[in-house]
């Protein structure tokens, strides 16, 4: 697929930046000055020479033809990916025809794009062949799955024992025990190939130092881990949907096996969370025709932006396939039929009352769910002591904002956008409160990112 | 959210207590003690946790803030809004990087003031979602505040009331963002004038003065007698705007004020009114000091400075005590000439034009004193004819040196000329004297620079480059050029972006640095052209 004719917006380009410093550096290079011999081709290649501090200019080339996200190559020594030159060149290109005119691809750029596209093609063929090969030996696959299940069972059993010891001795003791105990248990769960359990256990360690009310939170989280252990140990007796949910919560990989749904998917939100090893990007989509909400996840090694970038306010004509598990919203992006274009519609919304009820309902399918994606219609951000809430314009009820949402700069964008008047807000609604991610003004106006 | 009620409000508390103490010490009611108790407790807690979460309901709404006042200005064009977001994002990343302005990329933050002033001339409303970033930028840079807050509009002050970080916006905006009463609301105006905070009253007076000069003076007169001295001084200063002959009686009366600062400000304002009685009194005093001696071969100006500062002079604002190091008589003389209307001199000095008068020799080293006082008078009275005469020809050799008229004074004189004439004079100055003295003069030229001025600056930069110096000796002018050159000049500069061959006497590597500096200049001009186009594409 080519992106011919559709230039990206500067927002779209800046969303690709791995960190704020790159965004800044890239913005500065998004002017014609340092660039020479820049150009773009109908096949979706953008190239240019950027004057750096050395005598030889850097060669920057970007392949924007791939639906999975752009690919970059630059001769600069930066470890950032994409580097500021790639961002700057894309900004220049996004700015209009003048600075990056259409033209024949120079050899140095052609070589790389050709090689890349060829490798991608080979990979796709190999993957197709691989899946055939895998399904060709179901017996071996079954044996591997059994071995892993046995390890997880051993891990879950051990974890149950540790939880029992904790409850027998009392949570008060956990305050003194500190991180060490939980880190060690988490490492055991990694050994047991149950990453979902490991992550949950690791988070237990932070709760005793998390301020007033920690015993309640610790008990809640212990109880939910226990529930997950039990779910795994008795998965044979669970309905299929719930069993899949348990498997995915434990951390077993699942490929998107739902039927592909073609729709006009509205990009509701995109935000990254990062730890020392991994950057996780969450992208919320809303199907304009199906009314479905889907979550795309994309990962990048620490310091690198995940490859998939879908800026808020765009709409994709694409297929999306759901992952297994009842109530699970995770999905994979399939074929895109047209380049992303600015969205003309907004998602339909509900009241705060309905949002709370929706979270309650969703817990039936997935009791471990922290929050559900919800669009609130006609809500007003209202200060509430040291905190904030979103109040219905027409009713006396309100959802408090989560602590995380209160400390983000996006809160003030939301308050400014509202100006005390109702707005439409998309976000995540759960037991900790509401986290606003995107808002739309009451009248005309584009979606505003809050995260 | 609020907690769900019933069925067993205490059951959860019981579970938490037992969990804290441990089942070895305490078993929750309803569960069997023993080795299975921990698991039974977790079972019950899991059920209760999910039940509690599923039953959460919205909380009651807190008291809502007053909605923000409406901003009736037209919205910013979309491309301009995106540009503003980028300019503001540049600020967010600032702080690191050592602050050295090197390399070929434009300094975006430096373009924000220009962007804001262009947007303000078009009276666009700020996009609400960018207000927080705009307020943060204005918080960090006081020089940005007036333009940023004007652009940010009423919603920004509404917002500032909710966030203590932005309190400065309330101080900077009269009435804490509450709009000033409209002029026809006499009762509202009266009330704010009598009960408002000092800043609100100053703003009110300025607002009324800008619309109807007399009304402001009348309002001020109502409470004049009861104001504190320092307040009187500030209020009096507001009459500077739109000063006219009608203000004379009020100012005359202020000449008798208790406070010396108020008296001298009143005198200064009166002397800017050439038709005022004070100006006439000063004309008589100054005229008595200056004459032409025709008995000499060349007619020469002769100065006889006053021998005393009498009560009348003091009442008319002459400061009797000279600063240390200055003779009393020359100090008084300077003040008299500065306050006398310039129109008096042709008649007094043989019907000569200002140009001819300035060209006359002055006897006994009084030249500097006399010309400096005329400069101050020309600036105070906004007299372009005299300013032109005192400036002289830009190419004159003494124009570049420390003559009677300092560069600072030249800059002030220039500001009384029309912008084209100003630009032409500075262009001529640069062509003769180069860039090293030009910085201050460039500062008073209109932006974007007129074509002859822009060309003079670029030519001078080019000459400096060819002379082999480093560009950072001219970084001040280079920075000004980035902000002030007409973006249309970008094309003419392209030839300068290449790295030249290094001459034998050039500083090592200078050519490369110059190329870099010119590249940044061209990128910045291109960017400014794009910004201007975006703001005009409504």
């Amino acid at each position: 697929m080519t992106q011919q004719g559709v230039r990206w917006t500067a927002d779209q380009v800046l969303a690709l930046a791995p960190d704020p410093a790159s965004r800044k550096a890239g913005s500065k290079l998004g002017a014609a000055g340092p660039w020479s011999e820049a150009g773009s081709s109908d096949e979706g290649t953008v190239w240019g020479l950027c004057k750096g501090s050395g005598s030889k200019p850097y060669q920057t080339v970007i392949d924007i033809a791939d639906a999975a996200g752009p690919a970059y190559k630059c001769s600069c020594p930066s470890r950032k990916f994409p580097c500021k030159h790639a961002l700057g060149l894309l900004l220049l290109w996004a700015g209009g025809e003048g600075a990056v005119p259409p033209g024949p691809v120079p050899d140095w750029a052609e070589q790389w794009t050709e090689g890349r596209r060829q490798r991608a093609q080979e990979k796709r063929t190999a993957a197709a062949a691989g899946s055939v090969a895998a399904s060709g030996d179901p017996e071996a696959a079954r044996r591997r799955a059994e071995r892993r299940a046995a390890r997880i069972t051993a891990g879950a059993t051990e974890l149950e024992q540790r939880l029992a010891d904790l409850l027998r001795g009392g949570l008060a003791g956990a305050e003194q025990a500190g991180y060490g105990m939980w880190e060690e248990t988490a490492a055991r769960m990694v050994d047991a190939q149950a990453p979902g359990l490991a992550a949950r256990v690791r988070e237990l360690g932070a709760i005793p130092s998390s301020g007033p009310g920690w015993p309640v939170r610790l008990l809640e989280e212990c109880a939910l881990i226990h529930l997950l252990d039990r779910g795994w140990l008795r998965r044979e007796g669970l309905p299929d949907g719930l069993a899949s949910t348990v498997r995915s919560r434990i951390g077993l990989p699942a490929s998107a096996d739902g039927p592909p749904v073609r729709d006009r998917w509205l990009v509701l939100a995109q935000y990254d969370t990062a730890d020392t090893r991994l950057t996780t990007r969450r992208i919320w989509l809303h199907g304009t025709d199906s009314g479905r909400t889907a979550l795309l996840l994309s990962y990048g090694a620490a310091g690198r932006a995940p490859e998939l970038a879908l800026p808020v306010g765009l709409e994709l004509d694409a297929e999306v396939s759901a992952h297994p598990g009842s109530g699970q919203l995770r999905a994979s992006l399939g074929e895109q039929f047209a380049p992303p274009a600015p969205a003309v519609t907004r998602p339909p919304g509900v009241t705060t009352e309905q949002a709370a009820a929706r979270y309650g309902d969703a817990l039936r399918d997935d009791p471990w769910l922290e929050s559900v994606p919800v669009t609130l219609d006609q809500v007003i951000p209202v200060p509430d002591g040291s905190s904030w809430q979103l109040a219905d314009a027409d009713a006396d009820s309100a959802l408090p904002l989560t602590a995380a949402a209160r400390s983000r700069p996006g809160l003030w964008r939301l308050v400014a956008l509202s100006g005390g008047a109702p707005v439409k807000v998309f976000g995540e609604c759960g037991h900790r409160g509401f986290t606003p991610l995107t808002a739309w003004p009451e009248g005309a106006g584009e979606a505003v990112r809050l995260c | 959210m609020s907690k769900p009620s019933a069925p067993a409000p205490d059951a959860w508390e019981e579970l938490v207590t037992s969990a804290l103490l441990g089942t070895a010490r305490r078993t929750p009611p309803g569960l069997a003690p023993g080795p299975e108790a921990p698991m039974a407790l977790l079972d019950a807690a899991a059920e209760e946790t999910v039940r509690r979460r599923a039953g959460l309901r919205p909380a009651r709404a807190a008291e809502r803030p007053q909605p923000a006042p409406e901003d009736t200005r037209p919205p910013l064009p979309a491309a301009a809004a995106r540009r503003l977001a980028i300019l503001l994002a540049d600020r967010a990343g600032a702080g690191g990087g050592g602050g050295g302005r090197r390399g070929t990329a434009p300094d975006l933050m430096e373009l924000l003031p220009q962007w804001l002033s262009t947007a303000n001339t078009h009276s666009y409303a700020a996009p609400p979602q960018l207000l927080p970033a705009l307020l943060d930028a204005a918080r960090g840079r006081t020089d940005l505040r007036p333009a940023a807050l004007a652009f940010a509009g009423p919603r920004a002050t509404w917002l500032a009331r909710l966030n203590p970080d932005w309190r400065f916006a309330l101080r900077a905006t009269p009435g804490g963002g509450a709009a000033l009463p409209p002029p026809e609301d006499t009762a509202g105006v009266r009330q704010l004038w009598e009960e408002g905070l000092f800043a609100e009253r100053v703003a009110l007076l300025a607002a009324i003065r800008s619309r109807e000069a007399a009304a402001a003076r009348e309002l001020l007169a109502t409470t004049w007698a009861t104001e504190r001295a320092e307040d009187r001084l500030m209020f009096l200063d507001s009459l500077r705007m739109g000063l006219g002959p009608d203000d004379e009686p009020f100012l005359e009366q202020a000449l008798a004020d208790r406070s010396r600062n108020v008296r001298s400000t009143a005198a200064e304002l009166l002397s800017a009114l050439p038709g005022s009685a004070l100006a006439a009194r000063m004309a008589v005093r100054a005229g008595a000091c200056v004459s032409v001696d025709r008995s000499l071969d060349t007619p020469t100006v002769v100065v006889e400075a006053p021998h005393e500062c009498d009560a009348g002079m003091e009442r008319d604002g002459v400061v009797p005590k000279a600063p240390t190091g200055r003779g009393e008589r020359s100090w008084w003389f300077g003040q008299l000439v500065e306050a006398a209307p310039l129109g008096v001199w042709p008649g007094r000095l043989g019907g000569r034009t200002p140009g001819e008068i300035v060209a006359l020799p002055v006897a006994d080293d009084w030249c500097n004193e006399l010309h400096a006082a005329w400069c101050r008078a020309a600036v105070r009275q906004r007299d372009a004819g005299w300013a032109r005469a005192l400036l002289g020809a830009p190419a004159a050799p003494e124009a570049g040196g420390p003559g009677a008229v300092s560069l600072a004074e030249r800059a002030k004189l220039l500001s009384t000329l029309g912008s084209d004439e100003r630009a032409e004079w500075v262009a001529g100055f640069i062509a003769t004297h180069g860039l090293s003295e030009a910085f201050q003069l460039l500062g008073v030229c209109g932006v974007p620079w007129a074509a002859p001025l822009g060309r003079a600056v670029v030519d001078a930069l080019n000459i400096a480059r060819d002379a082999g110096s480093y560009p950072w000796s001219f970084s001040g002018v280079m920075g000004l050029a980035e902000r002030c050159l007409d973006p249309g000049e970008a094309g003419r500069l392209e030839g300068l972006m290449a790295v030249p061959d290094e001459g034998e006497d050039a500083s090592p590597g200078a050519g490369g640095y110059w190329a870099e500096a010119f590249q940044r200049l061209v990128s910045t001009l291109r960017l400014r052209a794009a910004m201007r186009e975006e703001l005009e594409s409504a």
Side-chain angles (χ1 to χ4, degrees), chain B residues 23-47:
Chain B
T23 52
R25 264 161 281 188
R26 180 184 160 121
T27 317
L31 300 185
E36 293 305 310
M39 285 297 134
L41 172 57
L42 283 172
D43 278 342
E47 192 184 328

mmCIF file of all heavy atoms in Angstrom, chain B residues 23-47:
data_model
loop_
_atom_site.group_PDB
_atom_site.id
_atom_site.type_symbol
_atom_site.label_atom_id
_atom_site.label_comp_id
_atom_site.label_asym_id
_atom_site.label_seq_id
_atom_site.Cartn_x
_atom_site.Cartn_y
_atom_site.Cartn_z
ATOM 1 N N THR B 23 -4.590 -15.227 60.270
ATOM 2 C CA THR B 23 -5.640 -16.186 60.684
ATOM 3 C C THR B 23 -5.177 -17.029 61.859
ATOM 4 O O THR B 23 -5.976 -17.623 62.560
ATOM 5 C CB THR B 23 -6.054 -17.113 59.530
ATOM 6 O OG1 THR B 23 -4.851 -17.689 58.993
ATOM 7 C CG2 THR B 23 -6.764 -16.352 58.434
ATOM 8 N N ALA B 24 -3.854 -17.088 62.082
ATOM 9 C CA ALA B 24 -3.375 -17.845 63.237
ATOM 10 C C ALA B 24 -3.876 -17.191 64.526
ATOM 11 O O ALA B 24 -4.087 -17.864 65.535
ATOM 12 C CB ALA B 24 -1.840 -17.897 63.234
ATOM 13 N N ARG B 25 -4.073 -15.866 64.481
ATOM 14 C CA ARG B 25 -4.524 -15.176 65.685
ATOM 15 C C ARG B 25 -6.025 -14.933 65.676
ATOM 16 O O ARG B 25 -6.659 -14.836 66.717
ATOM 17 C CB ARG B 25 -3.795 -13.830 65.819
ATOM 18 C CG ARG B 25 -2.594 -13.923 66.720
ATOM 19 C CD ARG B 25 -1.655 -12.754 66.480
ATOM 20 N NE ARG B 25 -0.860 -12.988 65.275
ATOM 21 C CZ ARG B 25 0.148 -12.222 64.886
ATOM 22 N NH1 ARG B 25 0.458 -11.157 65.594
ATOM 23 N NH2 ARG B 25 0.843 -12.514 63.817
ATOM 24 N N ARG B 26 -6.588 -14.779 64.502
ATOM 25 C CA ARG B 26 -7.995 -14.389 64.447
ATOM 26 C C ARG B 26 -8.631 -14.911 63.167
ATOM 27 O O ARG B 26 -8.114 -14.731 62.076
ATOM 28 C CB ARG B 26 -8.068 -12.857 64.482
ATOM 29 C CG ARG B 26 -9.483 -12.346 64.422
ATOM 30 C CD ARG B 26 -9.444 -10.843 64.365
ATOM 31 N NE ARG B 26 -10.697 -10.356 63.841
ATOM 32 C CZ ARG B 26 -11.504 -9.523 64.487
ATOM 33 N NH1 ARG B 26 -11.159 -9.045 65.651
ATOM 34 N NH2 ARG B 26 -12.643 -9.137 63.938
ATOM 35 N N THR B 27 -9.737 -15.587 63.306
ATOM 36 C CA THR B 27 -10.470 -16.081 62.138
ATOM 37 C C THR B 27 -11.699 -15.206 61.967
ATOM 38 O O THR B 27 -12.363 -14.894 62.951
ATOM 39 C CB THR B 27 -10.931 -17.535 62.346
ATOM 40 O OG1 THR B 27 -9.857 -18.259 62.929
ATOM 41 C CG2 THR B 27 -11.327 -18.178 61.030
ATOM 42 N N PRO B 28 -11.978 -14.760 60.729
ATOM 43 C CA PRO B 28 -13.178 -13.931 60.558
ATOM 44 C C PRO B 28 -14.434 -14.736 60.902
ATOM 45 O O PRO B 28 -14.441 -15.956 60.712
ATOM 46 C CB PRO B 28 -13.152 -13.572 59.076
ATOM 47 C CG PRO B 28 -11.938 -14.191 58.498
ATOM 48 C CD PRO B 28 -11.293 -15.064 59.489
ATOM 49 N N PRO B 29 -15.464 -14.070 61.358
ATOM 50 C CA PRO B 29 -16.701 -14.774 61.705
ATOM 51 C C PRO B 29 -17.239 -15.491 60.476
ATOM 52 O O PRO B 29 -17.136 -14.971 59.363
ATOM 53 C CB PRO B 29 -17.653 -13.649 62.138
ATOM 54 C CG PRO B 29 -16.908 -12.381 62.030
ATOM 55 C CD PRO B 29 -15.527 -12.643 61.566
ATOM 56 N N GLY B 30 -17.760 -16.697 60.721
ATOM 57 C CA GLY B 30 -18.347 -17.445 59.610
ATOM 58 C C GLY B 30 -17.363 -18.370 58.933
ATOM 59 O O GLY B 30 -17.746 -19.174 58.087
ATOM 60 N N LEU B 31 -16.084 -18.251 59.224
ATOM 61 C CA LEU B 31 -15.104 -19.157 58.614
ATOM 62 C C LEU B 31 -14.569 -20.088 59.696
ATOM 63 O O LEU B 31 -14.437 -19.689 60.860
ATOM 64 C CB LEU B 31 -13.935 -18.381 58.009
ATOM 65 C CG LEU B 31 -14.272 -17.384 56.902
ATOM 66 C CD1 LEU B 31 -12.996 -16.784 56.330
ATOM 67 C CD2 LEU B 31 -15.080 -18.038 55.790
ATOM 68 N N ALA B 32 -14.218 -21.282 59.248
ATOM 69 C CA ALA B 32 -13.733 -22.275 60.217
ATOM 70 C C ALA B 32 -12.269 -22.014 60.499
ATOM 71 O O ALA B 32 -11.491 -21.806 59.569
ATOM 72 C CB ALA B 32 -13.906 -23.677 59.642
ATOM 73 N N PRO B 33 -11.878 -21.981 61.780
ATOM 74 C CA PRO B 33 -10.454 -21.843 62.095
ATOM 75 C C PRO B 33 -9.681 -23.078 61.681
ATOM 76 O O PRO B 33 -10.284 -24.130 61.454
ATOM 77 C CB PRO B 33 -10.417 -21.635 63.607
ATOM 78 C CG PRO B 33 -11.755 -22.088 64.117
ATOM 79 C CD PRO B 33 -12.716 -22.172 62.971
ATOM 80 N N GLY B 34 -8.376 -22.960 61.540
ATOM 81 C CA GLY B 34 -7.582 -24.143 61.218
ATOM 82 C C GLY B 34 -6.704 -23.913 60.026
ATOM 83 O O GLY B 34 -6.571 -22.785 59.550
ATOM 84 N N PRO B 35 -6.051 -24.933 59.521
ATOM 85 C CA PRO B 35 -5.087 -24.788 58.430
ATOM 86 C C PRO B 35 -5.742 -24.274 57.146
ATOM 87 O O PRO B 35 -5.072 -23.682 56.300
ATOM 88 C CB PRO B 35 -4.537 -26.211 58.237
ATOM 89 C CG PRO B 35 -5.467 -27.125 58.936
ATOM 90 C CD PRO B 35 -6.142 -26.348 60.012
ATOM 91 N N GLU B 36 -7.038 -24.497 56.969
ATOM 92 C CA GLU B 36 -7.698 -24.032 55.742
ATOM 93 C C GLU B 36 -8.159 -22.577 55.833
ATOM 94 O O GLU B 36 -8.615 -22.018 54.840
ATOM 95 C CB GLU B 36 -8.894 -24.919 55.417
ATOM 96 C CG GLU B 36 -8.515 -26.337 55.032
ATOM 97 C CD GLU B 36 -7.522 -26.345 53.871
ATOM 98 O OE1 GLU B 36 -7.771 -25.668 52.849
ATOM 99 O OE2 GLU B 36 -6.455 -26.996 54.012
ATOM 100 N N ALA B 37 -8.019 -21.992 57.020
ATOM 101 C CA ALA B 37 -8.586 -20.648 57.210
ATOM 102 C C ALA B 37 -8.004 -19.595 56.248
ATOM 103 O O ALA B 37 -8.761 -18.774 55.710
ATOM 104 C CB ALA B 37 -8.410 -20.196 58.655
ATOM 105 N N PRO B 38 -6.663 -19.563 56.007
ATOM 106 C CA PRO B 38 -6.140 -18.544 55.078
ATOM 107 C C PRO B 38 -6.802 -18.616 53.714
ATOM 108 O O PRO B 38 -7.168 -17.589 53.114
ATOM 109 C CB PRO B 38 -4.645 -18.882 54.981
ATOM 110 C CG PRO B 38 -4.315 -19.614 56.217
ATOM 111 C CD PRO B 38 -5.543 -20.380 56.584
ATOM 112 N N MET B 39 -6.945 -19.808 53.178
ATOM 113 C CA MET B 39 -7.564 -19.958 51.857
ATOM 114 C C MET B 39 -9.025 -19.532 51.884
ATOM 115 O O MET B 39 -9.524 -18.895 50.953
ATOM 116 C CB MET B 39 -7.450 -21.419 51.386
ATOM 117 C CG MET B 39 -6.047 -21.765 50.927
ATOM 118 S SD MET B 39 -5.612 -20.754 49.485
ATOM 119 C CE MET B 39 -4.014 -20.217 49.915
ATOM 120 N N ALA B 40 -9.693 -19.894 52.968
ATOM 121 C CA ALA B 40 -11.107 -19.505 53.091
ATOM 122 C C ALA B 40 -11.204 -17.984 53.151
ATOM 123 O O ALA B 40 -12.093 -17.375 52.539
ATOM 124 C CB ALA B 40 -11.723 -20.130 54.347
ATOM 125 N N LEU B 41 -10.256 -17.359 53.883
ATOM 126 C CA LEU B 41 -10.250 -15.895 53.968
ATOM 127 C C LEU B 41 -10.035 -15.277 52.585
ATOM 128 O O LEU B 41 -10.724 -14.337 52.186
ATOM 129 C CB LEU B 41 -9.153 -15.442 54.939
ATOM 130 C CG LEU B 41 -8.871 -13.934 55.009
ATOM 131 C CD1 LEU B 41 -10.120 -13.146 55.373
ATOM 132 C CD2 LEU B 41 -7.760 -13.644 56.002
ATOM 133 N N LEU B 42 -9.080 -15.824 51.818
ATOM 134 C CA LEU B 42 -8.806 -15.294 50.477
ATOM 135 C C LEU B 42 -9.997 -15.494 49.553
ATOM 136 O O LEU B 42 -10.306 -14.620 48.732
ATOM 137 C CB LEU B 42 -7.548 -15.942 49.892
ATOM 138 C CG LEU B 42 -6.228 -15.401 50.448
ATOM 139 C CD1 LEU B 42 -5.059 -16.242 49.951
ATOM 140 C CD2 LEU B 42 -6.027 -13.937 50.084
ATOM 141 N N ASP B 43 -10.641 -16.663 49.680
ATOM 142 C CA ASP B 43 -11.859 -16.898 48.876
ATOM 143 C C ASP B 43 -12.889 -15.806 49.143
ATOM 144 O O ASP B 43 -13.423 -15.186 48.221
ATOM 145 C CB ASP B 43 -12.486 -18.255 49.248
ATOM 146 C CG ASP B 43 -11.793 -19.413 48.533
ATOM 147 O OD1 ASP B 43 -11.093 -19.140 47.525
ATOM 148 O OD2 ASP B 43 -11.936 -20.567 48.979
ATOM 149 N N ALA B 44 -13.120 -15.588 50.434
ATOM 150 C CA ALA B 44 -14.138 -14.600 50.811
ATOM 151 C C ALA B 44 -13.697 -13.206 50.365
ATOM 152 O O ALA B 44 -14.517 -12.417 49.870
ATOM 153 C CB ALA B 44 -14.361 -14.637 52.324
ATOM 154 N N ALA B 45 -12.399 -12.914 50.522
ATOM 155 C CA ALA B 45 -11.911 -11.580 50.160
ATOM 156 C C ALA B 45 -12.011 -11.369 48.656
ATOM 157 O O ALA B 45 -12.336 -10.268 48.193
ATOM 158 C CB ALA B 45 -10.470 -11.392 50.625
ATOM 159 N N ALA B 46 -11.723 -12.397 47.861
ATOM 160 C CA ALA B 46 -11.814 -12.276 46.406
ATOM 161 C C ALA B 46 -13.250 -11.968 46.005
ATOM 162 O O ALA B 46 -13.518 -11.068 45.203
ATOM 163 C CB ALA B 46 -11.339 -13.567 45.735
ATOM 164 N N GLU B 47 -14.161 -12.689 46.580
ATOM 165 C CA GLU B 47 -15.568 -12.483 46.262
ATOM 166 C C GLU B 47 -15.975 -11.066 46.632
ATOM 167 O O GLU B 47 -16.626 -10.356 45.855
ATOM 168 C CB GLU B 47 -16.397 -13.501 47.044
ATOM 169 C CG GLU B 47 -17.830 -13.581 46.581
ATOM 170 C CD GLU B 47 -18.622 -14.542 47.452
ATOM 171 O OE1 GLU B 47 -18.027 -15.525 47.953
ATOM 172 O OE2 GLU B 47 -19.816 -14.285 47.641
#
